[in-house]
Amino acid sequence: MFKTLTFSFVFLIFPFAYAAGDAPVEETHVHIEKGVVYCDVQTFNQEAYILKVIGSGSPMTVFWQFEVFQVRDYWLDKSVVSIRLGRQVIPDLVTQRWLMRDLSGGLVKYTSDAEEAMRFLTQMQHAAVVDVSVLDGAMNYTLETKLFTHEGESEDKSWWSSMTDWGEDMGSVSLQLPMTDNHEDK
Amino acid sequence: MKINNAFVTFFMQTLPFMGATVLCILIYFVWPSVDHFGPVYLNWINVGLLFSLLIFVLIFGIRHFKSSRKSSFNLRAKLVLVMVLMVLLPSLILQVSANQIINKGFDVWFDVRVDTLLDKAMSLAQGFYADIEEDMELSLKQVIDTHDFPDLEPTPLGSLVLNQYMEKLLNKHGWGKLELFDASERLIATAQKTARNQGLDDLKTQPVSDAGRLSIALGRYTIDHDIRDDGEYVIGYLPLFAQRRLVGLFRAEVALPEEVTASARSIEADYRTYKELDRHRQGIQDTFMNTLMIVMIFIVCVAGFFAVVFARRLTTPVEELAAALEQVKAGDFDALVEVNSTDELGSLAQSFNSMIERLKYNMQTLTETQSELTNALVSSRQRQYVLENLLANLHSGVILLDASGEIRLMNHTCKALLMFPEQGNEKASIYDFSEVHLKAILTFFETLQTQRLESLQTELELTYGLQTVKILARGTLLGSEDDVFSGWLLVFDDITQLADAQKHRAWAEVAQRLAHEIKNPLTPIKLSTERVKRRFRDQVDNVDVFDTCTDAVINQVERLQRLLADFSNLATLPQPNMETVSISSLLQELKELYSPYPNLTFEGMPDGEVFCDPDQIRQVLINLIDNALATQAHVRVYVEVTDKDTRFYVQDDGQGIDESAKEHIFEPYFSTKAEGSGLGLAIAQRISEEHHGQLLLLSAASPTRFCMWLPHTQPHHSREDEA
């Protein structure tokens, strides 16, 4: 009994206590176009931080993780799809340019506006998440979005990083699949 | 003091839990935050170490709480605590000092002057790049404003005009290279300055960049910055239009000085690093602190481990000694401890073992002695019990006196024999014999004591009231002055009856001899007198006088003979020959014997038996009847049988017995008759007493009545006496 209380205190209460102090501020929208679920998501509470990082010349890499769960009543929700889209900004302070790189598509672009570079990282517009045909219209699904931020050009792939970096929760949105549209698309 | 002890005990019991609480708080602070910078694994290492320490402290605390009554565990806990504190306190001080130094160092490193300097350096570098770009812009503007570039369409490739024009622009604006692309981004002409060590690879043409396309799209010049392997370049794109139709694209590039770009990039890198460090200042501090904390916790863990090992090695022999002592306390003397070392503890264990062995030997000896003493005590008690019973049943009085005359032992017979008074018969010392009749005893003891006699024997006569007792006193000295016990043993025997018996026997012997001596000449006297009477009766003058005289002699001789016979009977009365006799047969014999006497009546013939010597009892009854018949009055003989005895009554209606004669009637030689010997009633009473009965004069006045009662059964001691 005592050990249970100790473990609970140490391993459960502490992380929740930390999580409670960082309430995420985000905006997530989902829309379906031509049988594809798109997601528009933007984080606000990371803007100042990211602007500060890239403004001081440090590269910044973000990963947007979209994961669709099938909602189940008596068991844990089942992960159906999970995609991860990366973006990166590499500042050049001497020329005052910021290189914006889409790690998923390979698109590279320079900008001389730091805020544009910041928005490039904090916003993900029209991200294709999943094809509706993969989903069952009779089921309920939720889309969970997470933002992983890393300072530097490469992602920290150490095992403890994957263990400890749980990302910033961008919220969960319920997917309402229109049956007719779904069938028509198919 | 008790409150202090209780407080210390409570403090020692709760100390591990307080430590656990502190560890929990530390874990809370060490736990990595979400926006943590730096190696997170340091935090996790700290968390792991702290958590291990927490588990260890909790286990230790619980064990300590459960076993707090064990002194050895307390000792071990104190040792561990002291040793850990000895390491923990300097480590804590070191940790705090290091934190302070790190904070101070960071304040110095991230000073605002450094910040300003870096900002200025960065601005300088940026200004250099901006100036180059501005120069490029100005040059391109001048090219546009002059409008002197040749018509490209009729000009053939490689024509001298175009080459001269491009060479002129190159030299005029100081560009390093100028390239002309047609509308399809194909290179038309190139002009560049030659440099040393320039090879063919340097003539390779770079494709049009996004900035070039942007300039085409915008219809105006654009400036681009290109970083290549051989250095950095500022590139300007200028679209050429003829009649609003794109006909070509100039690309002019200026190589930035390598030294300057290297410096600028170095400044940028430093600036970036500085800003990064400044931004993660707290994280870096945390890293240092975590590293230090890891070291500290590791040191504490190692110290704790060695403390536990050392304390265990130190306290285990103490625990074994304590356990062995508990066993010894419980009576187990086989509890020996192992001697594993040669240090003080080993010496202590060795001493303990030798002490236990000696103790065991002593205890065995003590047990054996105790057993022997117990047996001796039991034997002594048995002897004492036997002695007490012996003394209690002994007919002799015994007094055991110590050297000071204190009475150590005195049996009841002695108290009865010495006729102790009812009040104050408890005597503690022989000197308490203050009564008059006990003076003889005291004198006897003083004689024994003062003359230091080993033994003394004497006869004493004690008179207490009307009772006189003759005792034989014997005293014996016990032990000597050197012995453990010395004293006297006084033994008293009642010899009253023995003295009387001896006296009677002596008198009887005297009487018998006297009677014999007297009786012997009486017969010749009587015979001679009768012979004289027969022979000389005829020869005497006065026959009457002669007859009277001779008759008187003969009669007196006969009376003397009867008297001597009675006297002899009294003196030599034999022991009664007891047997069971029928009362009726005994009376019937007497009735037949006295049938000639009409004034004698036997009333009633009761059934029953009497245990007696029939001859002696018959003699008593004859004696009584003869005395009664001598009154010439009516005589009654009757018998009364009760549960306990048989009573024979002889009653006469005579004149009775005088009061003066009544008191002496059973005394020998007392008679109211002129010719009586005075021994009849004395003999009768003696026979009655020999039969453990009694002869009583119930009524002296007329009618005179005698009663002889005899018990039905013989007393027990009489039979023993007979045996």
Side-chain angles (χ1 to χ4, degrees):
Chain A
M1 187 64 186
F2 184 77
K3 286 184 178 177
T4 308
L5 287 174
T6 308
F7 277 100
S8 304
F9 183 72
V10 173
F11 285 115
L12 297 178
I13 295 174
F14 278 18
F16 282 126
Y18 262 94
D22 298 324
V25 179
E26 75 285 335
E27 196 173 277
T28 306
H29 299 285
V30 174
H31 58 279
I32 300 173
E33 291 178 10
K34 295 180 181 178
V36 177
V37 177
Y38 293 95
C39 181
D40 300 328
V41 62
Q42 180 176 4
T43 179
F44 296 105
N45 63 346
Q46 297 277 353
E47 286 182 343
Y49 164 66
I50 291 175
L51 188 60
K52 187 177 179 182
V53 172
I54 62 176
S56 62
S58 295
M60 190 82 192
T61 306
V62 299
F63 287 93
W64 291 93
Q65 180 174 296
F66 303 95
E67 191 164 13
V68 178
F69 287 95
Q70 180 185 337
V71 178
R72 294 192 289 191
D73 291 333
Y74 304 107
W75 198 242
L76 295 174
D77 293 345
K78 179 184 178 184
S79 177
V80 179
V81 172
S82 177
I83 63 168
R84 195 174 168 96
L85 304 176
R87 286 185 173 183
Q88 191 178 65
V89 169
I90 301 173
D92 187 349
L93 288 180
V94 179
T95 59
Q96 292 184 297
R97 295 184 308 169
W98 284 266
L99 174 66
M100 299 181 292
R101 180 183 292 167
D102 189 339
L103 299 178
S104 309
L107 180 64
V108 176
K109 184 183 175 185
Y110 274 104
T111 179
S112 57
D113 187 359
E115 291 190 1
E116 184 186 352
M118 178 267 293
R119 284 193 295 275
F120 177 71
L121 295 176
T122 58
Q123 293 178 10
M124 177 60 77
Q125 301 293 336
H126 210 65
V129 177
V130 62
D131 196 295
V132 174
S133 61
V134 176
L135 307 177
D136 187 352
M139 298 291 180
N140 293 325
Y141 295 94
T142 57
L143 172 64
E144 287 186 6
T145 311
K146 283 186 177 179
L147 175 62
F148 298 84
T149 57
H150 305 285
E151 287 189 32
E153 294 185 23
S154 59
E155 185 185 6
D156 188 4
K157 293 182 178 178
S158 55
W159 63 269
W160 58 82
S161 175
S162 62
M163 292 277 290
T164 57
D165 189 3
W166 298 335
E168 184 186 1
D169 192 5
M170 293 286 109
S172 177
V173 179
S174 176
L175 288 180
Q176 300 295 332
L177 300 178
M179 296 294 290
T180 52
D181 291 344
N182 195 12
H183 287 296
E184 284 176 0
D185 291 338
K186 287 180 180 178
Chain B
M1 185 61 82
K2 282 184 179 177
I3 293 173
N4 286 338
N5 287 335
F7 176 75
V8 170
T9 306
F10 176 76
F11 180 75
M12 287 298 293
Q13 284 179 344
T14 54
L15 189 61
F17 300 105
M18 288 192 284
T21 309
V22 172
L23 286 173
C24 287
I25 294 170
L26 277 176
I27 289 173
Y28 178 82
F29 283 110
V30 172
W31 198 281
S33 58
V34 175
D35 55 348
H36 183 83
F37 175 78
V40 188
Y41 65 87
L42 292 176
N43 293 62
W44 290 118
I45 290 173
N46 267 329
V47 169
L49 284 172
L50 286 172
F51 192 74
S52 304
L53 208 58
L54 174 68
I55 298 295
F56 172 76
V57 167
L58 283 176
I59 292 171
F60 185 78
I62 291 168
R63 285 184 62 192
H64 177 56
F65 189 78
K66 285 181 178 175
S67 313
S68 57
R69 289 175 186 169
K70 284 174 65 178
S71 57
S72 59
F73 197 85
N74 276 330
L75 178 63
R76 185 182 298 174
K78 285 174 186 171
L79 281 172
V80 171
L81 187 66
V82 166
M83 284 188 268
V84 169
L85 281 178
M86 283 173 64
V87 177
L88 185 62
L89 288 177
S91 301
L92 276 177
I93 294 170
L94 192 65
Q95 172 86 17
V96 172
S97 305
N99 285 342
Q100 292 296 322
I101 291 169
I102 290 169
N103 284 333
K104 292 289 181 186
F106 268 84
D107 289 341
V108 173
W109 297 340
F110 296 99
D111 189 63
V112 67
R113 288 172 294 184
V114 179
D115 202 11
T116 307
L117 185 66
L118 277 174
D119 282 342
K120 286 179 178 176
M122 193 67 219
S123 298
L124 199 63
Q126 287 174 342
F128 171 74
Y129 276 74
D131 287 344
I132 299 294
E133 288 179 3
E134 281 179 9
D135 288 345
M136 179 61 75
E137 282 182 20
L138 285 173
S139 300
L140 292 177
K141 276 184 182 178
Q142 286 178 3
V143 172
I144 294 170
D145 291 341
T146 52
H147 293 286
D148 59 348
F149 48 83
D151 187 5
L152 293 180
E153 287 192 356
T155 306
L157 287 173
S159 66
L160 183 61
V161 176
L162 188 58
N163 290 338
Q164 286 177 347
Y165 178 72
M166 290 179 66
E167 191 173 345
K168 187 182 75 176
L169 288 179
L170 194 71
N171 293 326
K172 181 182 179 182
H173 298 290
W175 295 334
K177 188 177 183 180
L178 178 62
E179 292 171 320
L180 177 61
F181 296 90
D182 62 6
S184 303
E185 299 181 6
R186 287 178 300 183
L187 182 65
I188 299 173
T190 300
Q192 75 177 70
K193 290 180 179 175
T194 56
R196 292 179 185 176
N197 302 325
Q198 195 173 31
L200 289 175
D201 290 340
D202 297 324
L203 299 176
K204 186 178 176 182
T205 301
Q206 297 293 329
V208 177
S209 68
D210 291 341
R213 294 190 188 95
L214 182 63
S215 71
I216 293 170
L218 294 175
R220 56 182 293 268
Y221 63 87
T222 58
I223 306 298
D224 195 10
H225 190 93
D226 195 11
I227 301 172
R228 298 171 191 164
D229 295 337
D230 56 346
E232 294 186 28
Y233 297 86
V234 174
I235 300 169
Y237 287 99
L238 177 64
L240 299 177
F241 293 95
Q243 296 175 352
R244 296 187 177 181
R245 189 170 60 89
L246 179 69
V247 293
L249 176 67
F250 270 129
R251 183 171 74 179
E253 61 180 38
V254 176
L256 297 178
E258 193 172 343
E259 298 80 9
V260 178
T261 55
S263 299
R265 290 300 169 186
S266 174
I267 291 170
E268 184 196 16
D270 293 341
Y271 181 83
R272 184 170 58 239
T273 305
Y274 177 80
K275 288 293 180 183
E276 199 172 271
L277 291 173
D278 188 28
R279 195 168 58 253
H280 298 295
R281 176 177 174 173
Q282 187 60 44
I284 294 167
Q285 284 184 348
D286 291 345
T287 302
F288 278 110
M289 287 172 60
N290 281 326
T291 307
L292 283 172
M293 190 175 284
I294 287 170
V295 173
M296 187 190 75
I297 295 171
F298 180 74
I299 289 172
V300 169
C301 286
V302 170
F305 173 76
F306 281 109
V308 169
V309 171
F310 178 71
R312 190 183 293 273
R313 284 177 64 88
L314 197 65
T315 56
T316 299
V318 179
E319 281 179 18
E320 289 176 355
L321 278 172
L325 274 175
E326 286 293 326
Q327 287 184 350
V328 171
K329 189 177 168 186
D332 182 10
F333 291 96
D334 294 326
L336 297 177
V337 294
E338 272 188 55
V339 182
N340 295 323
S341 60
T342 56
D343 54 5
E344 287 82 356
L345 284 172
S347 173
L348 180 64
Q350 218 162 11
S351 302
F352 176 81
N353 286 341
S354 60
M355 183 189 75
I356 291 302
E357 283 174 359
R358 282 202 306 275
L359 202 60
K360 184 180 177 182
Y361 173 75
N362 291 338
M363 189 54 71
Q364 282 177 348
T365 309
L366 198 63
T367 306
E368 289 172 2
T369 309
Q370 184 185 11
S371 176
E372 290 174 0
L373 281 175
T374 304
N375 292 334
L377 185 64
V378 169
S379 177
S380 172
R381 282 181 179 170
Q382 287 174 347
R383 281 199 295 271
Q384 185 181 2
Y385 178 74
V386 170
L387 185 62
E388 285 177 356
N389 278 292
L390 198 63
L391 287 174
N393 294 317
L394 199 62
H395 288 205
S396 300
V398 178
I399 300 177
L400 180 64
L401 302 170
D402 61 11
S404 62
E406 297 291 320
I407 297 174
R408 304 291 292 269
L409 184 67
M410 181 164 64
N411 63 350
H412 289 287
T413 307
C414 184
K415 293 177 182 176
L417 188 62
L418 300 182
M419 297 174 289
F420 276 20
E422 292 294 328
Q423 297 294 328
N425 64 353
E426 292 297 329
K427 308 286 186 188
S429 169
I430 189 76
Y431 299 107
D432 293 338
F433 285 20
S434 56
E435 288 80 4
V436 176
H437 71 283
L438 297 177
K439 286 289 181 185
I441 304 295
L442 183 58
T443 305
F444 170 74
F445 170 72
E446 287 173 345
T447 305
L448 190 65
Q449 188 182 34
T450 54
Q451 297 184 6
R452 298 188 175 276
L453 300 174
E454 289 195 354
S455 62
L456 177 64
Q457 179 173 335
T458 184
E459 290 184 7
L460 301 173
E461 187 170 307
L462 307 181
T463 304
Y464 182 69
L466 298 177
Q467 192 176 0
T468 300
V469 179
K470 289 182 181 174
I471 60 174
L472 175 64
R474 284 170 290 180
T476 306
L477 177 65
L478 298 176
S480 63
E481 291 181 354
D482 301 330
D483 289 342
V484 178
F485 177 79
S486 64
W488 288 271
L489 178 67
L490 307 182
V491 180
F492 304 101
D493 287 310
D494 185 0
I495 57 169
T496 306
Q497 291 181 351
L498 183 63
D500 288 347
Q502 287 178 345
K503 187 177 174 183
H504 280 134
R505 197 158 46 243
W507 277 110
E509 191 175 347
V510 169
Q512 200 170 10
R513 286 190 178 181
L514 189 62
H516 180 73
E517 292 299 327
I518 294 172
K519 193 177 179 181
N520 284 341
L522 285 180
T523 302
I525 292 172
K526 182 183 176 184
L527 292 174
S528 299
T529 304
E530 287 175 346
R531 186 177 176 186
V532 167
K533 186 180 179 180
R534 278 195 311 269
R535 184 129 177 220
F536 297 102
R537 189 174 186 268
D538 298 335
Q539 296 175 12
V540 295
D541 297 335
N542 192 346
V543 176
D544 294 334
V545 174
F546 181 79
D547 287 340
T548 302
C549 292
T550 54
D551 288 340
V553 172
I554 292 170
N555 289 334
Q556 289 302 317
V557 169
E558 287 178 349
R559 194 180 72 85
L560 278 175
Q561 282 181 330
R562 286 199 304 273
L563 184 66
L564 288 173
D566 290 342
F567 191 79
S568 180
N569 283 337
L570 178 64
T572 61
L573 189 67
Q575 288 292 319
N577 186 16
M578 307 296 281
E579 59 179 289
T580 303
V581 180
S582 171
I583 296 171
S584 58
S585 63
L586 186 64
L587 290 178
Q588 188 61 38
E589 287 178 10
L590 289 172
K591 189 176 181 180
E592 291 174 356
L593 181 64
Y594 287 97
S595 58
Y597 297 90
N599 58 338
L600 176 62
T601 58
F602 288 87
E603 298 177 0
M605 289 291 176
D607 296 330
E609 294 174 340
V610 63
F611 189 73
C612 64
D613 185 341
D615 294 334
Q616 290 186 358
I617 292 301
R618 192 181 300 115
Q619 182 182 350
V620 172
L621 290 174
I622 288 170
N623 203 340
L624 290 175
I625 291 170
D626 284 347
N627 287 341
L629 288 174
T631 61
Q632 303 294 324
H634 182 251
V635 177
R636 295 175 56 213
V637 177
Y638 57 94
V639 179
E640 187 178 288
V641 180
T642 66
D643 294 336
K644 298 180 180 178
D645 50 26
T646 303
R647 297 175 182 180
F648 295 87
Y649 294 92
V650 177
Q651 180 180 326
D652 64 82
D653 296 334
Q655 294 177 347
I657 303 171
D658 296 337
E659 283 295 323
S660 57
K662 178 185 173 185
E663 294 180 359
H664 307 285
I665 195 167
F666 292 109
E667 291 180 2
Y669 311 112
F670 178 82
S671 177
T672 57
K673 295 182 288 188
E675 295 182 354
S677 64
L679 294 173
L681 285 177
I683 291 170
Q685 189 182 40
R686 189 174 170 190
I687 288 172
S688 300
E689 288 175 353
E690 289 289 332
H691 281 74
H692 302 287
Q694 203 166 6
L695 178 62
L696 300 172
L697 174 60
L698 296 181
S699 174
S702 180
T704 305
R705 186 169 53 183
F706 285 88
C707 174
M708 179 182 67
W709 65 268
L710 298 175
H712 281 322
T713 56
Q714 287 290 91
H716 184 68
H717 66 270
S718 297
R719 294 189 179 186
E720 283 182 350
D721 292 343
E722 288 174 10

